[in-house]
Amino acid sequence: MRRVLILGGTAEARALAARLAVRRTGVHVVSSLAGRVSDPRLPAGEVHIGGFGGAGGLAAWLRGNRIDRLVDATHPFAERMSASAAHASRATGVPLLALRRPGWEAEDGDDWHRVPSLPEAAGALPVGARVFLTTGRRSIPVFAARADAWFLARSVDPPEPPVPPNAEVLLARGPYTVEGERALIRDHRLDVLVTKDSGGSMTRAKLTAARDAGIPVVMVDRPPHPDGVQATDDVATAAAWAQG
């Protein structure tokens, strides 16, 4: 039986695990979750929670568990894990496929300002801005130096310090609705949205709400894929590759 390791707790990773584990595909699927989110949504099949100890540790794990195919379905901004997957694939000869949801595209009426990094997003905020910060708990400390702005910082779990001094932390897990995002923008008098180009439909509601409210969006671009890694944005294609 072919053994497939899926890296990531994304919706795409769960969909791929379900397709491989539930059907009679001749595949034993193992999903790896980083363990950074409390009470994660568990995928179908076997689950490994916790890191591997870097690229070398991942390579050793692939060998020790006789993995035949490796799928990197991590978050589009999990740059370090993607680099480790590429390195481990080269070191072991285990074929690697990156499964990535498409990024977002601006629509008529959107006012997006793209920046290449989180520090540049922090620097792009106007003085006195009331910011809807939706870049995840691990990136909130990047904005701590902006004492001249106010933040509604949303994350699934509490952020680690430093937190911006003028911040209200909102603990919430999607999916979110356009109506709910409109209410947050209105009730907190927010005038700019900061987000990563994560893609997917579950968190796009904030972009629609920002457009409806006429507020600008500071959009952090994705890091590039590691060189030489085959990629797809389609779960069915990834499933066929894992079985092939």
Side-chain angles (χ1 to χ4, degrees):
M1 178 174 285
R2 170 161 289 175
R3 295 176 62 83
V4 176
L5 175 62
I6 302 172
L7 302 174
T10 59
E12 293 75 25
R14 291 193 299 273
L16 177 59
R19 184 180 286 261
L20 293 174
V22 174
R23 301 182 182 183
R24 294 182 179 179
T25 59
V27 169
H28 178 84
V29 60
V30 183
S31 295
S32 172
L33 308 182
R36 293 173 180 164
V37 176
S38 63
D39 192 25
R41 297 187 179 110
L42 297 180
E46 184 179 342
V47 177
H48 169 86
I49 296 181
F52 296 96
L58 176 57
W61 200 94
L62 295 176
R63 295 189 188 100
N65 289 270
R66 306 185 311 280
I67 299 299
D68 300 296
R69 293 283 173 107
L70 176 61
V71 179
D72 174 15
T74 56
H75 190 277
F77 283 81
E79 190 172 7
R80 183 178 299 177
M81 190 67 243
S82 293
S84 291
H87 178 89
S89 172
R90 291 191 296 268
T92 61
V94 175
L96 169 65
L97 177 72
L99 174 58
R100 291 284 187 273
R101 71 189 74 153
W104 288 314
E105 298 290 338
E107 300 178 2
D108 289 345
D110 284 328
D111 182 13
W112 290 7
H113 305 269
R114 288 191 172 271
V115 294
S117 68
L118 285 162
E120 293 197 43
L125 298 175
V127 173
R130 295 183 62 84
V131 183
F132 191 10
L133 184 59
T134 64
T135 54
R137 71 181 182 93
R138 294 173 65 86
S139 61
I140 290 174
V142 175
F143 297 82
R146 290 303 308 265
D148 58 332
W150 186 88
F151 295 88
L152 179 66
R154 183 167 67 194
S155 64
V156 175
D157 291 315
E160 298 175 359
V163 175
N166 297 318
E168 176 181 333
V169 176
L170 173 63
L171 300 182
R173 186 195 297 267
Y176 307 106
T177 66
V178 174
E179 292 75 14
E181 304 292 64
R182 285 174 182 152
L184 285 177
I185 292 172
R186 180 187 65 247
D187 295 346
H188 293 275
R189 296 178 289 110
L190 303 173
D191 52 29
V192 61
L193 166 66
V194 179
T195 191
K196 296 175 178 177
D197 187 7
S198 301
S201 59
M202 189 174 77
T203 54
R204 191 181 177 99
K206 61 193 172 189
L207 300 175
T208 302
R211 181 175 64 244
D212 293 347
I215 67 173
V217 176
V218 178
M219 180 75 69
V220 182
D221 284 331
R222 297 178 174 191
H225 290 299
D227 291 340
V229 175
Q230 181 182 352
T232 183
D233 60 11
D234 181 65
V235 172
T237 299
W241 178 88
Q243 297 170 69

